[in-house]
Amino acid sequence: MNSSVSFNQLVYALVRRIPPGRVLNYGRVAKLLGVPHGARAVGWAMSALKSSDQSVPWHRVVNAKGRVSIKGSPEGAAEQRARLEAEGIVFDEHGYLDMDKHLWRPAPPDVEAIIRGARGDTDASDSDPD
DNA sequence: CAATTGACTTGAT
DNA sequence: TATCAAGCCAATT
């Protein structure tokens, strides 16, 4: 039982670990998951989220410029910003937040653990196949 | 299996 | 800071 997990599930697992008041951008999520250029794929995963999946703090994922990037739903964008402000994040007059100040920097080992957990390989007996 | 799509990113203007 | 083009990825049809 293992890598049968969709990329989306990995994304959700990681986003779920983003602490309040912290944010992550699409490209960073992709990179942490081992796909340096999968930013768009991460965005796709987020768009696939249902309103019922409130276990995933989707509002903590913004674009690389530190700005809310939801398209086709001004309401959704407003909600995302409101949730972030509720966590203490401040947006400037242009709608940007300070990435250097709020970007979440998880330790690599922690990220690996999250990924392994999402894959269900909480055991992972084998050291390093290949 | 090929074409489409989209909450992206980077570099140049 | 805003806009444009090109590159990259996974899920969907």
Side-chain angles (χ1 to χ4, degrees):
Chain A
M1 307 305 290
N2 44 44
S3 37
S4 343
V5 180
S6 297
F7 179 74
N8 288 24
Q9 297 306 310
L10 253 41
V11 173
Y12 303 148
L14 182 59
V15 173
R16 240 187 278 267
R17 301 297 163 178
I18 304 177
R22 289 278 181 248
V23 300
L24 222 50
N25 55 36
Y26 305 89
R28 184 69 55 150
V29 172
K31 195 169 189 176
L32 288 173
L33 293 180
V35 186
H37 295 280
R40 305 200 64 163
V42 173
W44 199 96
M46 301 311 286
S47 67
L49 272 176
K50 305 289 182 295
S51 313
S52 37
D53 296 312
Q54 47 181 122
S55 58
V56 181
W58 54 272
H59 61 279
R60 296 183 188 139
V61 182
V62 298
N63 66 30
K65 302 213 180 84
R67 205 179 193 194
V68 169
S69 184
I70 297 180
K71 295 176 180 175
S73 291
E75 295 266 329
E79 186 185 329
Q80 174 168 20
R81 175 170 171 161
R83 290 196 182 202
L84 290 174
E85 296 182 314
E87 297 185 350
I89 294 178
V90 180
F91 288 80
D92 63 23
E93 57 275 27
H94 286 288
Y96 293 91
L97 62 79
D98 190 334
M99 286 304 277
D100 291 324
K101 185 177 181 181
H102 300 288
L103 182 64
W104 181 47
R105 285 123 172 147
D110 293 338
V111 177
E112 288 183 48
I114 294 172
I115 295 176
R116 284 195 301 107
R119 295 178 56 196
D121 294 356
T122 51
D123 188 338
S125 322
D126 47 358
S127 333
D128 235 5
D130 193 285

